[in-house]
Amino acid sequence: QVTVVESGGGLVHPGGSLRLSCTASGGTVSVWPFSWYRQSPGKQQEFVAFIDGGGTTSYGKSVEGRFTLTGDNTRNTVYLEMNDLRPEDTDVYYCNVRYTNWGQGTQVTVSS
């Protein structure tokens, strides 16, 4: 019912920044909330960030203070600003919309 598309992944040096985008389309009911998770083979899925339609956010312990999630209600789009990136942030990042709809993921690699 809802199509989810992520973008913005890539390669960045330690200490650098990246911005991921997630856009939801389709459906007749509100697409909010949005969440971000990250996971790679051999690793446990990890919660990254959450935002509802009113702009209320929450973050995983490992990224709190470094990542910021904002939303644009008119465009059904959220932006995950990732700062002070570390090698352990390397992962595939997945956007989740309204709890049950998932994007295909975008690769983030932090390496010197």
Side-chain angles (χ1 to χ4, degrees):
Q1 185 175 339
V2 178
T3 299
V4 181
V5 179
E6 304 117 325
S7 64
L11 175 65
V12 66
H13 296 304
S17 299
L18 280 175
R19 188 184 73 167
L20 306 184
S21 298
C22 177
T23 298
S25 60
T28 59
V29 181
S30 173
V31 297
W32 303 88
F34 287 70
S35 298
W36 285 93
Y37 292 80
R38 62 190 187 187
Q39 187 176 28
S40 290
K43 297 175 63 178
Q44 186 179 41
Q45 185 184 66
E46 182 180 14
F47 168 73
V48 176
F50 169 94
I51 187 169
D52 67 16
T56 300
T57 58
S58 63
Y59 300 92
K61 289 294 185 180
S62 64
V63 307
E64 190 171 21
R66 298 187 296 121
F67 292 10
T68 302
L69 183 59
T70 59
D72 185 338
N73 294 47
T74 64
R75 294 181 171 86
N76 289 333
T77 298
V78 298
Y79 306 94
L80 182 65
E81 182 71 29
M82 306 185 295
N83 300 309
D84 190 26
L85 284 163
R86 305 162 180 172
E88 51 264 43
D89 294 317
T90 296
D91 223 327
V92 180
Y93 285 69
Y94 297 90
C95 182
N96 172 275
V97 174
R98 208 167 63 195
Y99 302 112
T100 58
N101 303 104
W102 293 90
Q104 294 299 306
T106 184
Q107 176 71 48
V108 172
T109 302
V110 184
S111 177
S112 57

